[in-house]
Amino acid sequence: MTQETLEPEVSADDSYKLNNKLISSIRLAVSTADAERLADLLEPLHAADIADMLEQVDEVQRREILVLSTDIIDGEVLSELDEGLREEIIDFLPQKVLSEAVRDLESDDVVDLVEDLGEPQQEAVLEALDDADRVAVEQALSYPEESAGRLMQREFVMAPDHWNVGQAIDYMRANDDLPDQFYHMILVDPRLKPTGYVTLGKLLANRRETKLTLIAEESFRTIPVTQPEDQVAYAFNQYHLISAPVVDQDDRLVGVITIDDAMNVLDEEHEEDILRLAGVGEGRLSDKVISTTRRRFPWLAVNLLTAILASMVISQFEVAISQLVALAVLMPIVASMGGNAGTQSLTVAVRAIATRDLTGSNVWRVIRREVLVGLINGVIFAVVMGIVGVIWFGSINLGLVIAAAMVINLVVAGLAGTVIPVVLEKLKVDPALASGAFVTTVTDVVGFFAFLGLAVIVLL
Amino acid sequence: MTQETLEPEVSADDSYKLNNKLISSIRLAVSTADAERLADLLEPLHAADIADMLEQVDEVQRREILVLSTDIIDGEVLSELDEGLREEIIDFLPQKVLSEAVRDLESDDVVDLVEDLGEPQQEAVLEALDDADRVAVEQALSYPEESAGRLMQREFVMAPDHWNVGQAIDYMRANDDLPDQFYHMILVDPRLKPTGYVTLGKLLANRRETKLTLIAEESFRTIPVTQPEDQVAYAFNQYHLISAPVVDQDDRLVGVITIDDAMNVLDEEHEEDILRLAGVGEGRLSDKVISTTRRRFPWLAVNLLTAILASMVISQFEVAISQLVALAVLMPIVASMGGNAGTQSLTVAVRAIATRDLTGSNVWRVIRREVLVGLINGVIFAVVMGIVGVIWFGSINLGLVIAAAMVINLVVAGLAGTVIPVVLEKLKVDPALASGAFVTTVTDVVGFFAFLGLAVIVLL
């Protein structure tokens, strides 16, 4: 066996994807119960890649891998696993392996691990911790879900703000219990209120007698422990923070949030936005058929209602359709174009709301823009469809009707696609979650009504 | 004026949003040409917030703000601006202000600033740089767009890998030109090949005589200078990197990429995915009407073609529809449900491809799951719609037809929603960009064909 087969293969177009060859080798080792070969294959992998691998094989193979090598599951691998799999694997692990796995994690990672587990697994993990760590985790769990308190780690490095560089360095050299990763020394006053922070780079670059306050960063933000995590992530992204001190109600330092935690939150928020816009809710590739079906059902049910509503509009024009079947042939085009244009506007609006770019002070300008865009594209496609209508069905009037309906529906799409998410946000409803159904209802109803209504007036 | 009115107001539900009150105050100061008041209002704002503010006011107000206080535009504000506005503002700035603004930026930020500018503005910025910086930026621009070479900064801290902690600290104290932000000291061999890195925390925590190689991080990754930026971002996210050395073809250290750059890329990729899935392409809130219209046009044009295709399917059944108008009323429901279910499957597949969770080794399992989910939801909604059909139109056979068509279309939706993005990715076409049109074409055509075809067989 050469070194080469051990390393994830570097392919031209994607060097980080766990490659099929490696997974096949793992499967082969598992099916021949070759524990030694399996260990050789897994050894060079990063925890995140091991977690991904466990997600990609099926349940039976996962069991066999765990039987052959329980010791591949350390705290990091547990942290990296999808929630669904995490429960499955924790159930399967002997308590001793679990204890060792969670003991070397930072407190924020343990909280992240524990908070979505079922009662029995949560108990199992908490029991595995030292008393001091358990108290810390339980305290973190007392903060609201998705708040800064859940996100922060309690391991941080602080110093009185009257110290100088030499004192700070001596303190760190004497301290055996520094966090694995830290980027700032936080300065506090005697009441433990953070007053600034110093980057480690500055500590290293300055002379021992330099006062810490002289080299503290210019801009400095603290985060209230109850702040929702999406706002924390926004602050990290907006102000390019690397780490930020978290304070309690009395402004006392209680923890630190680092950029990797914020990056995770941002990643999850994006994921949620995309999935919600598509009517999927949460959803992971490792979810089972039944839970996936259940999750997608409500959106389809809402869509059925709106589709029936649109059909009821059509049924008002049954007489017209029976007189001129071309109407039935052409009507889905108007509705479909409106639905598409509406989705374009609403996606831009939902994103702009999420990134705080769409606010009360520019909402009218954005609405005007979307309506104008709808008007211009509406006119262009009206001309195209008008011509198609005339050629296909040989009726200039039919061409005019579909053209007029197209303009109306695309303008309405721009309007509804912007106004609906803005209004939903004002009403504290997640616009990503609910806008789609409303907007397509509007464009379907308006599309069918405008086209069939005009047809009745002009053609019959 | 109290301190309170200067700070962005902290509201209960969102403490970071630039509030309307502040923007109104700024508008008032601008309209009364009160430069001093404007300076007071802007002074406490972070560069990112100033950039957001400039994006939220309209073009006339933006000009007036710049006239009243050109000095608010520093390099950071320029970096934070949307591309469209950046050109506008650089055109407007006196060369002297521009020079000062770009001079204090790190090389990666200048590259980011310059790469999307038009020729004349790019010249203006490059001229404003010192000779050494200009060469560095021009060299960075010689790397492919969206590659690690464009993303990296050339300011980094390295040390021979035989040094000890004391030597490293002395070197940094003696060096006046350290980067603003850095998190690791990179160890290199005599050929400048990176061999490991040491976190600043470890440098501070260990005794002067400790060898650097003894405290180097366990896991260490270098990034090839030509690697595409989405893979760089993936590596940062997957392996929780804070910074990573970039190497050239000969494995020599040429730069460093830090997590904030990677976070930006990740953010942009997400944004692109969401917008592409909705058929918007790129698009920012500050875009003008014409460029927005132009950008959305191609997607609407593709949608028109697929809608016409669906209409051609309907037109094959004109006789059936004229005999039974209920078919025209009900047919959009089947198509719409299929379109929705297909979008759900395709969004999950597109995301899973982007996050490298959907690979050759689990594609069949995912397809099976999606088809099963389609089948189960299909059966449920078939029962519902069958009953609705019977009640509404009093025909059991019509109920059976719509129920059967619903099952068929939802199964096809699950299949198409997964297979189409996977195949597109194999063909090196961005699945986020193109899947939507294909999947809805399939669900429209199959929906209309199954429903109307079955109707002809069963009902007529």
Side-chain angles (χ1 to χ4, degrees), chain A residues 141-155:
Chain A
L141 289 175
S142 72
Y143 292 114
E145 271 183 48
E146 315 209 321
S147 69
R150 293 280 182 109
L151 216 55
M152 71 187 185
Q153 61 184 59
R154 284 150 177 282
E155 297 85 2

Side-chain angles (χ1 to χ4, degrees), chain A residues 300-321:
Chain A
L300 291 174
V302 169
N303 183 63
L304 182 64
L305 288 180
T306 74
I308 289 177
L309 200 68
S311 288
M312 288 165 80
V313 172
I314 300 173
S315 75
Q316 302 306 308
F317 296 93
E318 282 189 20
V319 177
I321 293 172

Side-chain angles (χ1 to χ4, degrees), chain A residues 133-333:
Chain A
D133 288 341
R134 185 166 53 242
V135 172
V137 170
E138 281 170 344
Q139 203 165 354
L141 289 175
S142 72
Y143 292 114
E145 271 183 48
E146 315 209 321
S147 69
R150 293 280 182 109
L151 216 55
M152 71 187 185
Q153 61 184 59
R154 284 150 177 282
E155 297 85 2
F156 50 80
V157 181
M158 61 176 177
D161 52 11
H162 57 78
W163 275 11
N164 62 28
V165 170
Q167 284 169 302
I169 292 182
D170 292 343
Y171 163 76
M172 283 195 256
R173 289 223 179 106
N175 191 336
D176 290 336
D177 208 25
L178 292 176
D180 258 12
Q181 298 273 352
F182 67 107
Y183 315 103
H184 292 106
M185 173 169 252
I186 302 165
L187 308 183
V188 292
D189 71 10
R191 282 183 51 258
L192 278 187
K193 184 183 167 209
T195 57
Y197 56 16
V198 177
T199 67
L200 301 186
K202 291 265 165 62
L203 277 182
L204 284 162
N206 284 280
R207 307 190 58 80
R208 286 184 62 89
E209 52 278 14
T210 313
K211 283 272 177 212
L212 293 182
T213 44
L214 290 178
I215 54 172
E217 293 296 284
E218 250 177 68
S219 108
F220 169 69
R221 282 163 199 279
T222 58
I223 291 178
V225 71
T226 53
Q227 188 169 73
E229 62 176 19
D230 63 320
Q231 288 183 36
V232 175
Y234 175 77
F236 269 80
N237 201 15
Q238 176 83 342
Y239 304 119
H240 309 293
L241 307 177
I242 294 297
S243 76
V246 180
V247 295
D248 66 12
Q249 273 193 312
D250 304 322
D251 268 350
R252 267 191 314 234
L253 181 62
V254 290
V256 160
I257 294 176
T258 51
I259 189 172
D260 50 321
D261 304 316
M263 203 164 164
N264 266 343
V265 173
L266 208 66
D267 216 36
E268 280 168 23
E269 297 272 317
H270 276 296
E271 189 80 15
E272 272 176 25
D273 273 358
I274 285 194
L275 294 178
R276 283 181 179 169
L277 276 170
V280 190
E282 290 172 27
R284 291 158 193 278
L285 218 57
S286 60
D287 288 344
K288 300 278 181 298
V289 171
I290 291 303
S291 58
T292 307
T293 308
R294 208 179 287 145
R295 225 167 247 149
R296 296 195 194 164
F297 180 84
W299 273 265
L300 291 174
V302 169
N303 183 63
L304 182 64
L305 288 180
T306 74
I308 289 177
L309 200 68
S311 288
M312 288 165 80
V313 172
I314 300 173
S315 75
Q316 302 306 308
F317 296 93
E318 282 189 20
V319 177
I321 293 172
S322 67
Q323 285 175 305
L324 187 59
V325 187
L327 298 182
V329 174
L330 290 174
M331 67 182 186
I333 297 180

Side-chain angles (χ1 to χ4, degrees), chain B residues 106-109 111 139-140 143 147-156 223 225 244-247 253-258 261:
Chain B
E106 310 267 324
S107 57
D108 58 333
D109 291 328
V111 172
Q139 202 165 355
Y143 292 114
S147 69
R150 293 280 183 110
L151 217 53
M152 72 187 184
Q153 60 185 58
R154 283 148 181 283
E155 298 83 3
F156 51 79
I223 292 177
V225 71
V246 180
V247 295
L253 181 62
V254 289
V256 160
I257 294 176
T258 51
D261 304 316

Side-chain angles (χ1 to χ4, degrees), chain A residues 80 173 206 239-240 279 344, chain B residues 49 80 173 206 240 279 344:
Chain A
E80 300 283 352
R173 289 223 179 106
N206 284 280
Y239 304 119
H240 309 293
Q344 292 181 329
Chain B
D49 290 329
E80 301 284 352
R173 289 226 178 102
N206 285 281
H240 309 292
Q344 292 181 331

